[in-house]
Amino acid sequence: MTRPEPGLARGWCALSALHDRIEAHVERALQTGHGLSVREYSVLDVLGRQRPRDGGHLRMNELADAVVLSQSATTRLVNRLEERGLLTRDLCPTDRRGIYTEVTDAGRRLLAEARPTNDAALAEALDRAERRPELAPLVTAVRTLEHRPPAAPGAA
C-alpha cells in the first residue's frame, strides 16, 4: 500500500480542521438563534433553492446526495423537519416508489430568518480561521468560490 505524501496528509488535516471549526461555529449560532442544526439548515436551504418550474422539490435520493448524507440519515432528518411542519413529502405521481420532499411556508420563513445568522457565523468562522497560517490558503480558496454559480444538486 502506498503512503500518501506528507504534504497531502497535512493538507487533508487542515481541510478537516477548517470544516470542523466552521461547522461547530455555525451550529452554535443556528441552534441558539433558530433551533436548527447545520444539517437541518442545509436541507432547508437545498430544498428552498429549488425553482417552481422544476417542481420546487427533490426526490429523497437527490436530497441525500445534495446534503452528503446516507439515505437513512436523510430520512431521519426529513422526518424531524416534517414533524416540525417545515417540510412535506409526497409520492411521485409517475413512480410510486419515489418520494418528493418540499419546504413548507413555515420552513421558508424559518430559512429566511436563519439565513443571515448562517451567513454571519460562516463569515466569522472564516475570519477566525484565516488568522491561522495553516488554514489561511484554504479560507482563500473557499472565498473564491463565492463568485462562482452554485452547482446543481447531484453534480459531482
Side-chain angles (χ1 to χ4, degrees):
M1 184 166 146
T2 307
R3 295 187 60 128
E5 296 178 34
L8 185 60
R10 275 194 307 274
W12 170 245
C13 287
L15 180 60
S16 180
L18 178 63
H19 173 272
D20 292 348
R21 286 171 184 274
I22 291 170
E23 186 171 55
H25 188 75
V26 173
E27 179 86 25
R28 282 189 301 275
L30 287 172
Q31 280 290 348
T32 300
H34 309 283
L36 285 172
S37 71
V38 167
R39 294 292 189 180
E40 290 168 336
Y41 176 86
S42 295
V43 165
L44 291 174
D45 185 53
V46 165
L47 289 170
R49 292 179 190 276
Q50 298 309 302
R51 303 278 187 247
R53 70 174 181 270
D54 299 327
H57 55 252
L58 286 176
R59 290 178 76 126
M60 288 290 286
N61 62 320
E62 294 170 321
L63 180 59
D65 189 50
V67 296
V68 193
L69 287 174
S70 68
Q71 288 277 349
S72 60
T74 302
T75 298
R76 288 189 301 273
L77 187 55
V78 166
N79 285 342
R80 287 195 308 269
L81 292 169
E82 188 176 36
E83 287 170 7
R84 292 175 61 184
L86 303 174
L87 298 180
T88 60
R89 284 186 285 192
D90 295 303
L91 288 175
C92 173
T94 58
D95 178 1
R96 303 299 284 178
R97 295 169 296 168
I99 299 174
Y100 287 129
T101 307
E102 188 170 353
V103 179
T104 63
D105 290 341
R108 288 186 192 288
R109 283 191 300 275
L110 182 57
L111 179 60
E113 293 168 8
R115 186 168 276 127
T117 302
N118 179 78
D119 294 350
L122 177 57
E124 289 169 9
L126 287 169
D127 288 345
R128 288 179 185 174
E130 193 170 36
R131 294 183 207 123
R132 300 181 66 96
E134 71 277 15
L135 301 180
L138 294 170
V139 172
T140 299
V142 168
R143 286 190 167 138
T144 63
L145 296 173
E146 285 181 88
H147 306 292
R148 294 185 184 169

